[in-house]
Amino acid sequence: MPTPGLDGYTPAWLKPEHEDLAELARAFFTKEVVPHAARLEAQGHPDREHYRQAGELGLLGLSVPEEFGGGGGDFTHEAVLLTEQTFSGEGSLGLAVHSGIVTGYITAYGTEEQKRRWLPGLCDGSLVGAIGMTEPDGGSDLQAIRTRAVQDGDEYVVTGAKTFITNGGVADLLILAVKTDTTQGAGGISLIVCELEDGAPGFRRGRLLDKIGLHANDTAELFFDEYRVPTANLLGSEGGGFFQMMAQLPQERLVIGVGAVAVMQRAVELATAYAKERKAFGKPLIGHQNTRMVLAECATRTRVARIFLDDCVERHVRGELDVATAAMAKYWLTEGQCEVVDRCLQIFGGYGYTTEYPIARMYADARVQKIYGGTNEIMKELIARVL
Ligand SMILES: Cc1cc2nc3c(=O)[nH]c(=O)nc-3n(C[C@H](O)[C@H](O)[C@H](O)COP(=O)(O)OP(=O)(O)OC[C@H]3O[C@@H](n4cnc5c(N)ncnc54)[C@H](O)[C@@H]3O)c2cc1C
């Protein structure tokens, strides 16, 4: 079955090389990681070893240039990897952030020296990446962040707190949004790369947050109290951080869209299989007209989502994905995910509410998709701006 067109539809961008990658990724997730799912959920974070294994197989940094240890591909390769992770039901590795976001920032804004220092480790899995924008006081209004970095010789002294940081429990490399000029809004924001080390003076990881879903992936608070970072770790230009984030956020939103559509496809597939096997009133559920209608509607919603997503992927690869279209994708695809998963769960009846069935986890995991990466309300603001 070609990936990611589970229902027989194949995106125009899918080439034989993607099929090989999909096969490799599928085997890795299903054989190496998924068998540990219960333990990973209980511990609340992934195994470092699985990042290293993924790196050894060449599954990390697929869109990073080969000279820096990556796969030399583009966003389509990252999309295939994330789709396979979703299809397999693997939910511990924070690849959407590690590969889908962090390597992209360093590739786009790193100096030659920074790229040589950080990208090979992110690609071989010896480093895990994270990005810290959101603060306890607010995430939507990025211009208002309060974490500040004051230059002292050849170091920045960082004070502040970040929260909800994906991979924050295990990350070694954090792209941190700070105010280098507190008198300004957007123009005062810079990005600095923190090489996190537990026990380093001024740095502390908070607790892993207890979430309603995504139990195997770590989401953490991070605290900085006069924490020192070399000025050489500034990513891009001082004061340019907000604009760098705005330039990268369309990819982050597309990454979320890729996950949303993969979940929709999986939900329809699981619910269809269940409807064929489960009987009520003397016949399989699929023999009841309402079940067929619901599945037909969900399959159609999913196909339309897939085609919109593929159009966005192609635009992004051409460098033409604009902010409003990326916001449309993030908002509409995640709404679709929540709707389709909810309707598919209903087909499972009571079993759909038990965590023994993947659809229950998919339901709990789906909710955050409308919140992170910029809430769907903020997406609509971005769309409305260009109307
Ligand atoms: C599991 C998880 C993982 C995350 N991973 C990361 C990460 O890796 N890095 C990171 O930096 N952040 C991360 N986040 C944070 C996430 O991006 C923020 O939660 C999100 O941006 C919203 O910010 P907030 O929670 O502070 O909500 P607020 O900004 O306080 O918003 C609260 C509500 O008000 C609404 N609202 C706010 N402003 C407006 C407006 N102008 N118009 C209309 N409505 C508005 C919002 O839409 C929302 O419904 C993660 C969050 C979660 C839950």
Side-chain angles (χ1 to χ4, degrees):
M1 193 82 75
T3 294
L6 267 187
D7 59 357
Y9 156 81
T10 306
W13 54 261
L14 201 76
K15 310 247 162 46
E17 79 207 43
H18 294 102
E19 302 277 353
D20 296 341
L21 168 63
E23 223 168 277
L24 181 70
R26 194 176 312 148
F28 167 66
F29 292 125
T30 54
K31 293 193 186 132
E32 305 297 334
V33 196
V34 170
H36 302 280
R39 179 178 59 75
L40 295 169
E41 285 208 5
Q43 78 183 18
H45 61 83
D47 281 353
R48 296 294 308 224
E49 187 50 28
H50 289 146
Y51 275 103
R52 276 190 282 267
Q53 277 178 279
E56 262 170 43
L57 290 169
L59 294 174
L60 301 180
L62 291 164
S63 53
V64 170
E66 285 176 71
E67 55 175 316
F68 300 115
D74 60 30
F75 186 77
T76 59
H77 301 91
E78 303 290 1
V80 166
L81 178 77
L82 296 172
T83 300
E84 286 302 328
Q85 186 182 18
T86 301
F87 284 171
S88 75
E90 202 295 297
S92 70
L93 295 162
L95 301 180
V97 169
H98 176 92
S99 291
I101 299 173
V102 173
T103 59
Y105 272 79
I106 293 176
T107 305
Y109 305 116
T111 60
E112 184 71 15
E113 192 275 325
Q114 289 175 331
K115 289 184 202 175
R116 296 216 174 279
R117 184 141 53 104
W118 296 319
L119 287 174
L122 289 167
C123 294
D124 69 19
S126 55
L127 295 178
V128 175
I131 183 154
M133 308 180 200
T134 308
E135 303 193 344
D137 284 344
S140 299
D141 186 4
L142 272 181
Q143 300 192 27
I145 61 167
R146 288 164 51 174
T147 298
R148 62 184 192 279
V150 179
Q151 193 169 346
D152 179 24
D154 59 2
E155 290 179 322
Y156 287 115
V157 182
V158 179
T159 300
K162 296 286 172 181
T163 192
F164 302 128
I165 306 308
T166 298
N167 302 344
V170 298
D172 316 275
L173 211 64
L174 172 75
I175 299 177
L176 185 66
V178 293
K179 274 271 169 81
T180 40
D181 181 350
T182 51
T183 64
Q184 290 199 55
I189 296 177
S190 305
L191 300 178
I192 56 177
V193 178
C194 304
E195 293 162 296
L196 300 178
E197 222 177 282
D198 290 314
F203 169 65
R204 185 168 65 81
R205 288 181 215 263
R207 63 199 169 95
L208 293 184
L209 300 174
D210 199 5
K211 312 184 293 287
I212 62 171
L214 301 180
H215 288 147
N217 180 252
D218 47 317
T219 310
E221 298 169 302
L222 302 173
F223 299 101
F224 307 91
D225 181 11
E226 303 201 346
Y227 170 68
R228 290 183 170 265
V229 184
T231 50
N233 287 17
L234 176 72
L235 191 63
S237 58
E238 200 165 284
F242 186 79
F243 309 99
Q244 291 165 239
M245 288 190 283
M246 290 305 112
Q248 293 295 313
L249 277 168
Q251 169 149 332
E252 178 170 347
R253 288 166 187 157
L254 200 51
V255 162
I256 293 171
V258 167
V261 174
V263 171
M264 289 160 87
Q265 287 185 247
R266 183 163 181 247
V268 172
E269 193 186 52
L270 292 175
T272 305
Y274 187 80
K276 286 181 179 170
E277 159 203 309
R278 174 82 172 174
K279 290 199 175 67
F281 297 93
K283 55 183 176 183
L285 294 177
I286 200 146
H288 296 280
Q289 192 186 36
N290 180 66
T291 312
R292 290 200 302 277
M293 300 297 113
V294 169
L295 286 172
E297 285 165 18
C298 289
T300 307
R301 180 81 158 89
T302 301
R303 171 72 69 86
V304 175
R306 168 94 255 157
I307 291 169
F308 177 36
L309 173 70
D310 288 332
D311 179 62
C312 290
V313 168
E314 287 180 4
R315 281 169 195 264
H316 186 51
V317 171
R318 293 197 304 268
E320 293 169 8
L321 183 68
D322 60 283
V323 169
T325 307
M328 287 176 183
K330 197 269 171 181
Y331 138 64
W332 194 74
L333 299 175
T334 59
E335 297 282 341
Q337 173 185 358
C338 290
E339 179 194 315
V340 165
V341 170
D342 183 40
R343 299 188 77 194
C344 287
L345 185 150
Q346 188 72 12
I347 289 173
F348 284 78
Y351 292 110
Y353 198 66
T354 66
T355 52
E356 273 168 54
Y357 281 75
I359 195 77
R361 286 203 185 82
M362 290 159 73
Y363 180 80
D365 292 350
R367 188 60 183 84
V368 75
Q369 290 264 88
K370 298 200 271 192
I371 298 171
Y372 57 25
T375 65
N376 284 6
E377 291 74 28
I378 297 298
M379 295 307 103
K380 290 175 204 171
E381 282 291 334
L382 295 173
I383 297 161
R385 267 181 215 169
V386 301
L387 299 181

